[in-house]
């Protein structure tokens, strides 16, 4: 499931870095270019409207001046026919009519010139400017669609590249689901929850009629009392299996349990804390890597938004370490009954058990834990030796891996490498070449065989 999720994460990362960011940037360029074309269209339209206003103004002026010229001409003719008018009045009226006619003729010529100019501007607007702008907008949209199609193809190629790996992951999930044995699982639960107590024997008959407190005879002829009568008679006694009154006696260190069952419960509790602590440590490392990514690529996220999670994870780690020390102390006490348990609180391997102590409480032949598999990542720096760590297995690459990120190492399909550090749940395995180069590779990209 982790490998499958890792491939989906790879697809999401490619979508974000190679497709979404590129399309977003291209979208901004497209918007700016489209805005420029619309501004050109608006400017051309305003120019046409301005020319039309000039045409309309010259047309109205021509109309007005022509009417004035007609009135002046009629007035001159009327004055000329008037017998009472003097020669000077007639001459003045004729000059006025001639001047108005001249102005009207100028307005007519101006109106004709403006009309010709407007018709030319209108033809240029509808047959040149706007078609050119529309063609640019069409080309812009076609480029947008083509860019989007390239994003589809890139996404499809990304999916195709991981489909073989996803197929293997799904095959592994199917294999794991098919291999589940519910009978064995139920027996494990039964084994974990065994009380350790012996089954109770028969109750002795108490013959109060003879004045005897307790009788040891098992062949009494008295009518035996039923189970409910015995339970009602012995209400003050604790029946561990059924009585609810036994719950207040449960202690955190399981001292209310038999020795062997107490040791198992303490061991189980300690293993749970180790797993939870490992999860928090991995979470802390993941948050640290994410913070580095955000700092290098601010467009992906704000590093400050991870501060609260990092603080909470650090507090959880400190709390779990304190609980782990407490349960290790109690486990040492429980295992110290009888044989002496050689116990080192920080010698913990990846599966959450002590290297110097076998699961059934007996001593193993090994007395020194393998520090190369320490669960705490920070211990690697404190106890780092100059010598190279011994490999814990081998692996064969199933796919090519470029190893472009910091801390990773490239590999070719079919290449054999040494496994230095196993997968801690984050989907990465540390390997080493024969020349001594070390780095991380995706766990799902290789077939890994660990030494027993």
């Amino acid at each position: 499931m982790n490998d499958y999720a890792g491939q989906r994460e790879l697809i999401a990362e490619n979508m974000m870095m190679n497709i979404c960011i590129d399309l977003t940037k291209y979208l901004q360029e497209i918007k700016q270019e489209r805005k420029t074309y619309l501004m050109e269209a608006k400017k051309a339209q305003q120019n046409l409207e301005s020319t039309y206003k000039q045409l309309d103004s010259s047309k109205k002026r021509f109309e007005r001046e022509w009417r004035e010229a007609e009135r002046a001409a009629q007035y001159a003719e009327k004055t000329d026919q008037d017998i009472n008018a003097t020669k000077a009045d007639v001459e003045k009226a004729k000059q006025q009519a001639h001047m108005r006619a001249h102005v009207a003729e100028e307005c007519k010529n101006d109106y004709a010139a403006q009309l010709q100019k407007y018709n030319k501007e209108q033809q240029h607007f509808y047959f040149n400017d706007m078609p050119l702008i529309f063609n640019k907008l069409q080309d812009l949209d076609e480029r947008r669609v083509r860019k989007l199609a390239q994003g589809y193809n890139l996404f499809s190629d990304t999916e195709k590249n991981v489909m073989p790996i996803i197929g293997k992951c799904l095959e592994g999930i199917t294999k794991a689901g098919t291999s589940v044995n519910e009978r064995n699982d139920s027996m494990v639960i039964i084994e974990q929850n065994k009380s350790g107590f012996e089954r109770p024997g028969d109750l002795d008959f108490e013959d109060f009629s003879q004045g005897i407190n307790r009788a040891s005879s098992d062949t009494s002829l008295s009518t035996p009392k039923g189970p409910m009568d015995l339970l009602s008679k012995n209400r003050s006694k604790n029946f561990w299996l059924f009585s609810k009154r036994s719950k207040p006696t449960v202690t955190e260190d399981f001292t209310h349990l038999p020795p062997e069952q107490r040791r198992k419960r303490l061991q189980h509790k300690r293993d749970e804390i180790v797993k939870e602590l490992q999860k928090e440590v991995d979470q802390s490392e993941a948050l640290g890597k994410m913070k580095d990514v955000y700092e290098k690529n601010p467009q992906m996220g704000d590093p400050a938004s991870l501060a609260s999670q990092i603080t909470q994870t650090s507090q959880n780690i400190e709390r779990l370490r304190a609980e782990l020390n407490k349960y290790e102390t109690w486990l040492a006490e429980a295992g110290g009954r009888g044989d002496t348990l050689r116990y080192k609180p920080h010698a913990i391997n990846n599966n959450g058990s002590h290297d110097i102590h076998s699961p059934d409480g007996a001593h193993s032949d090994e007395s020194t834990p393998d520090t190369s598999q320490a669960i705490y990542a920070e211990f690697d720096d404190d106890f780092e030796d100059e010598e190279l760590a011994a490999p814990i297995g081998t692996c064969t690459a199933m796919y090519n891996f470029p190893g472009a990120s910091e801390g990773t190492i490239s590999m070719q399909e079919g290449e054999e490498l040494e496994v230095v550090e196993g997968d801690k749940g984050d989907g990465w395995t540390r390997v080493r070449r024969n020349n001594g180069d070390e780095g991380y590779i995706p766990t799902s990209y290789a077939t890994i065989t660990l030494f027993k």
Side-chain angles (χ1 to χ4, degrees), residues 37 128 130-140 142:
Y37 295 153
N128 295 96
M130 293 309 298
L132 179 61
I133 293 175
F134 285 141
N135 289 335
K136 290 180 179 179
L137 290 173
Q138 180 181 357
D139 178 69
L140 177 70
E142 290 175 356

Side-chain angles (χ1 to χ4, degrees), residues 96-116:
Q96 185 69 20
H98 179 73
M99 184 187 68
R100 287 293 180 181
H102 180 71
V103 172
E105 188 66 25
E106 289 181 351
C107 291
K108 179 181 178 180
N109 295 333
D110 183 62
Y111 170 61
Q114 290 294 335
L115 180 61
Q116 185 179 5

